[in-house]
Amino acid sequence: MAAIRSGSDLDLDGLRFAMVSSTASEVDPASPTIFDYHERDGMIWGEYEGDTVRIGRFVGTRADRRISIQFTHVVAATGVIVSGAAESRIEQHDGGLRLVEEFRTADGDQVSICAQIGPGRAAHGHRSPG
């Protein structure tokens, strides 16, 4: 698991996180939303799916232990497209990383927490953000 020594030593590329809590909806611990992160030169991008999300994408930047992203996903139950923005802080937690995310959608301000669960699908090398 990644360790935070300083913000400049951190690299989220290839890491995978699972949502453990959210004020927007109840999280299904048996099938949480899973996020795969990619990073290059301070740019962050990735994809997520599971639980209430059919498919989602995000793009943004990271400066030290702060992430700023824009996201869009399709709600699994309704097919509605939801877009928003988020600011996350990266914390060390239980031998891995935790993301505490404050996000905004048309429904208002929310908070979610995601815990690192290991390397993602792109753990070996960078994938193109396009």
Side-chain angles (χ1 to χ4, degrees), residues 35-119:
F35 298 79
D36 286 305
Y37 273 74
H38 312 283
E39 180 174 7
R40 184 173 53 232
D41 301 326
M43 183 176 65
I44 298 284
W45 71 97
E47 52 277 342
Y48 56 104
E49 62 183 54
D51 200 6
T52 62
V53 175
R54 185 176 304 156
I55 190 166
R57 299 287 185 264
F58 61 90
V59 64
T61 58
R62 182 182 64 80
D64 294 320
R65 298 180 192 190
R66 303 289 300 177
I67 298 170
S68 178
I69 64 164
Q70 301 286 316
F71 63 88
T72 300
H73 64 256
V74 177
V75 177
T78 63
V80 170
I81 296 172
V82 175
S83 295
E87 298 287 330
S88 301
R89 70 181 181 272
I90 304 166
E91 301 177 345
Q92 188 73 40
H93 184 73
D94 290 341
L97 300 177
R98 177 170 74 174
L99 306 177
V100 179
E101 177 182 71
E102 297 179 21
F103 66 96
R104 294 164 302 288
T105 67
D107 292 334
D109 294 344
Q110 306 289 336
V111 177
S112 66
I113 298 175
C114 295
Q116 183 181 352
I117 58 172

